[in-house]
Each structure stands twice: as C-alpha cells, then as structure tokens.
Amino acid sequence: MDITGLTQIFATSMYGALALIALWGMYCVTMIWARVAQKRFRNEAQQDAFLDAVEEPLERGDFEEASEICESDPRALPQLAYLAIENREIGYSQVKQLVVERFQRDVLADLDHRISWVNTVIKGAPMVGLLGTVTGMMGAFAKLAAAEKVDAGAMASDISLALITTALGLVIAIPLTFCLNSVNIRIRKMEDLVAVGLTRFMSSLREAIATEAMSELEEIQPVRSSK
C-alpha cells in the first residue's frame, strides 16, 4: 500500500477517534451534573429546613435521632453532619477538621477528577481533528504529486474532507466548554451552600456537645460528694 492509501486510512480513523472522545466528554459532563444534583440542596430554604429538623433533637441532646435524620439523606451536608455526630467523642476541633477533609476527599476530589477529563477532551479534540486534517492533506498532496494531470476539483474535494476533522474537533470542544463553565458554577454554588450549612450545624453540634459534657459532669460530682 502506498503513502496515499495509508494517510487516507489514518485520516479516516480520526473520525472514529473523535466520536469516542465526544462520547467520553459527554459522559463525564453528565456524571458531574448528576453528582452535583445528588449532593446539593436545590436552594437555601431546603437546606434550612433540614438544619431545623436536625437541630431540634440536638437541642434535646438526642444524638441518635439527629443521626437517623442525617443517615438516610445522600446529600453532602446530611452525610457530613452524620459523620460529625458519630465522631463527636473525638472533640469539636477534630470533628470539624474531619468533616472538612471528608468533603474535600469524597465530593470535591471526585468532581475535580472528572472535570480534569473534560478539560482534556476540550484541549485534545481540536488537536486530534487537526492531526486528521494534516494527515488528510498529506494524502491529497501525495496524490497530486503522483498524478500526471492535476484535477483541481478532486484535489479541492480531498482537502475539504481533510478539513472536516478539524471542524469536528471544534464542534466537540466548544459546547463542552460552555457545559463545563455551567458545571463549575453549580459546583461553586454547592460549595458555598454547604459551607453555610456546615457553619450553622457545627455551631449547634458544639453547643450540644458542651451540654452533654456538662450533664455528665453534673452526674459525676454528686457521686464524688457522697464519698
């Protein structure tokens, strides 16, 4: 097989590569979108309603009921609240650090991983398209060099087909760029909402832990006094 045939085969294979790249980019964006929707409250009013429900048993010192409310909710704030309640024995400052680290690791790190793949697709798709174009034009010019008579129409057709891969790469990258910007806005909103909710919850938890400690101290002191 001559160089013309090889370059045409390689250029044609770029269409398949671009299709796979486009599918992977769409999959990652969809997964990010679904993940954010799963982990966030729709608005601050819903989050406040959840916090009101959790703070009520905390004020009574009923950590078990508060834990049950949080455990069944898959969103980020309830799961972080559940983690904090279950580990309250280690102390407020350590619980706070644990919650922040878990949010970074379990939620944000996973989103960052998928976002990095979308960025790779956005940068890589035009490059793959350009590679297909260059290869296709190499084949067109090789065909031109081997021909005894120049057919301008055939040459223009070959070059036009070669340029399609670059256009496809841009068609993949441009919509994904807008989608990624939209996703990043949703993630920032989720972070802000979770931060506000955690601040309020941790304040309530600190008061509940302090009240629990005082109650235990009051139970111990009469025993010592009687001795």
Side-chain angles (χ1 to χ4, degrees):
M1 184 179 292
D2 58 7
I3 185 66
T4 302
L6 289 174
T7 53
Q8 287 180 343
I9 292 173
F10 187 80
T12 304
S13 68
M14 292 299 102
Y15 292 104
L18 287 170
L20 293 175
I21 290 171
L23 290 173
W24 178 247
M26 292 170 57
Y27 170 77
C28 289
V29 168
T30 303
M31 291 300 296
I32 295 170
W33 198 276
R35 180 76 168 169
V36 173
Q38 180 189 27
K39 291 297 181 181
R40 75 183 186 102
F41 286 94
R42 290 181 179 273
N43 50 55
E44 193 169 356
Q46 284 190 359
Q47 182 169 282
D48 288 340
F50 163 77
L51 291 171
D52 290 339
V54 174
E55 286 173 351
E56 183 178 349
L58 286 179
E59 290 174 357
R60 302 194 309 267
D62 190 347
F63 291 99
E64 184 176 352
E65 181 181 345
S67 179
E68 289 176 355
I69 294 173
C70 300
E71 185 179 9
S72 59
D73 196 325
R75 288 172 288 198
L77 181 59
Q79 289 302 303
L80 294 172
Y82 174 76
L83 178 69
I85 293 171
E86 291 298 305
N87 292 274
R88 64 186 184 278
E89 294 84 2
I90 65 176
Y92 173 77
S93 59
Q94 291 183 329
V95 166
K96 186 176 181 180
Q97 183 178 358
L98 175 64
V99 166
V100 172
E101 290 176 353
R102 187 63 64 87
F103 180 59
Q104 291 286 339
R105 187 186 69 187
D106 292 352
V107 180
L108 297 182
D110 177 63
L111 294 174
D112 287 341
H113 173 71
R114 296 190 182 278
I115 285 173
S116 68
W117 273 111
V118 178
N119 280 321
T120 300
V121 169
I122 290 172
K123 295 176 182 178
M127 301 301 292
V128 173
L130 182 60
L131 177 61
T133 294
V134 171
T135 307
M137 292 188 72
M138 287 172 59
F141 283 114
K143 185 187 296 184
L144 176 63
E148 296 181 357
K149 183 178 180 180
V150 177
D151 187 344
M155 182 178 178
S157 177
D158 290 340
I159 294 175
S160 176
L161 288 173
L163 290 172
I164 290 176
T165 57
T166 296
L168 289 176
L170 294 173
V171 166
I172 293 169
I174 292 172
L176 284 178
T177 300
F178 288 104
C179 290
L180 185 60
N181 287 336
S182 176
V183 165
N184 282 327
I185 291 172
R186 287 170 67 89
I187 291 174
R188 286 196 296 270
K189 287 182 177 179
M190 180 188 71
E191 288 185 69
D192 293 340
L193 199 59
V194 169
V196 171
L198 272 179
T199 300
R200 176 178 163 182
F201 170 78
M202 293 304 294
S203 177
S204 300
L205 182 63
R206 179 172 55 184
E207 293 177 3
I209 291 174
T211 302
E212 183 184 40
M214 289 295 295
S215 299
E216 292 176 355
L217 185 61
E218 289 173 357
E219 291 176 359
I220 295 172
Q221 283 179 345
V223 174
R224 289 181 178 177
S225 299
S226 62
K227 291 181 180 179

